């Protein structure tokens, strides 16, 4: 069961522009009281990103709305 937690930066976030628009990138959850996610060589707050899961077949499930897209 290969799955990877991924995120993409929300348009309203001050971090918008660190990646291509709506680009998913791998993240991991860390023990930090403010910046809970690490990925894309940066730290992010949960409020600044949309969380998803990359499945073994390469598709990504958006955990906010349940939509599936190609990774």
């Amino acid at each position: 069961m290969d799955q990877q937690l991924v995120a993409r930066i929300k348009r309203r976030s001050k971090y918008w522009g660190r990646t291509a628009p709506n680009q998913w990138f791998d993240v991991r959850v860390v023990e930090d009281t403010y910046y809970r996610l690490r990925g894309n060589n940066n730290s992010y707050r949960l409020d600044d990103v949309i969380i998803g899961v990359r499945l073994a077949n390469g598709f990504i499930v958006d955990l906010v709305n349940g939509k599936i897209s190609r990774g």
Side-chain angles (χ1 to χ4, degrees):
M1 182 163 91
D2 294 324
Q3 297 180 350
Q4 171 65 47
L5 190 64
V6 294
R8 61 182 175 159
I9 302 171
K10 291 179 181 176
R11 187 174 194 82
R12 64 169 177 75
S13 170
K14 68 180 180 180
Y15 304 114
W16 179 257
R18 284 191 178 175
T19 64
N22 299 314
Q23 177 184 2
W24 293 99
F25 55 92
D26 295 352
V27 293
R28 61 188 173 90
V29 179
V30 297
E31 293 182 36
D32 187 313
T33 56
Y34 194 62
Y35 292 94
R36 292 269 185 207
L37 298 175
R38 299 286 190 277
N40 195 34
N41 295 318
N42 291 296
S43 300
Y44 297 96
R45 298 174 302 172
L46 291 170
D47 288 347
D48 288 308
V49 298
I50 297 169
I51 302 294
V53 175
R54 181 179 293 116
L55 304 175
N57 63 6
F59 286 93
I60 295 176
V61 178
D62 184 323
L63 295 180
V64 172
N65 59 27
K67 292 183 180 179
I68 298 176
S69 62
R70 286 211 172 267

